[in-house]
Amino acid sequence: MTLKAGNILEGKVVNITNFGAFVEVDGQTGLVHISEVADSFVKDIRQHLKEQDKVKVKVISIDDKGKISLSIKQANTQRKSVKPVEIDWSVEKKKASNTQNFEDIMSKFLKDSEERLADVKKHQEFRAKGRKSLG
């Protein structure tokens, strides 16, 4: 079988490096980059693969020089289907009605920010007076 992009084949891990794993497929060796090992972040590839492991890989590309790029995570066709979350809208509406309206929230924010600004100005004036008496 000739290798071409899109093929999913079984291969054997022949070498592991910090940046990926070399996998032998159909008598040729390709690289599975560390970012193509698993769906989640992989810090240490050796926690996921060992030499001589049999793995299913997908051929991502073959460049002009014959370098083969492989992916384990793309070969995993049995991905878990994600079900939509069911929301009880009657509960959500009750939560919304119990909260303050926008105008109340804004007026409280303005009051608090004016008080804080007044405190900052008092502190700055106090420090300025202290400097004048020292000089």
Side-chain angles (χ1 to χ4, degrees):
M1 177 181 201
T2 60
L3 291 178
K4 61 181 181 180
N7 286 356
I8 296 178
L9 308 161
E10 187 169 298
K12 181 171 72 170
V13 178
V14 292
N15 190 16
I16 296 177
T17 65
N18 290 337
F19 57 86
F22 290 95
V23 177
E24 186 178 304
V25 181
D26 277 354
Q28 297 179 342
T29 303
L31 174 67
V32 177
H33 189 266
I34 193 167
S35 64
E36 292 292 330
V37 171
D39 288 328
S40 60
F41 176 74
V42 177
K43 184 174 182 177
D44 182 11
I45 194 168
R46 288 171 180 82
Q47 291 179 344
H48 294 266
L49 296 172
K50 307 244 181 302
E51 287 188 23
Q52 305 303 314
D53 279 356
K54 297 234 187 259
V55 291
K56 188 164 43 167
V57 293
K58 178 177 180 179
V59 179
I60 299 173
S61 67
I62 302 172
D63 71 5
D64 297 336
K65 296 179 183 176
K67 291 183 181 178
I68 304 168
S69 295
L70 303 170
S71 173
I72 294 173
K73 73 179 181 182
Q74 291 182 32
N76 183 7
T77 56
Q78 299 175 357
R79 300 206 177 212
K80 296 177 183 176
S81 60
V82 178
K83 293 182 181 177
V85 176
E86 302 236 354
I87 298 175
D88 186 356
W89 290 106
S90 61
V91 172
E92 294 297 321
K93 286 180 184 176
K94 288 179 185 175
K95 286 182 187 176
S97 65
N98 290 340
T99 61
Q100 300 172 333
N101 66 17
F102 179 74
E103 288 80 17
D104 293 340
I105 294 169
M106 281 303 293
S107 63
K108 183 178 183 313
F109 171 77
L110 287 172
K111 181 182 172 196
D112 291 345
S113 63
E114 287 172 357
E115 289 173 359
R116 289 184 183 139
L117 187 58
D119 287 344
V120 168
K121 286 183 180 179
K122 284 182 190 176
H123 182 70
Q124 286 176 338
E125 289 171 4
F126 178 77
R127 291 184 69 196
K129 286 181 185 176
R131 286 188 197 134
K132 287 181 184 176
S133 63
L134 289 175

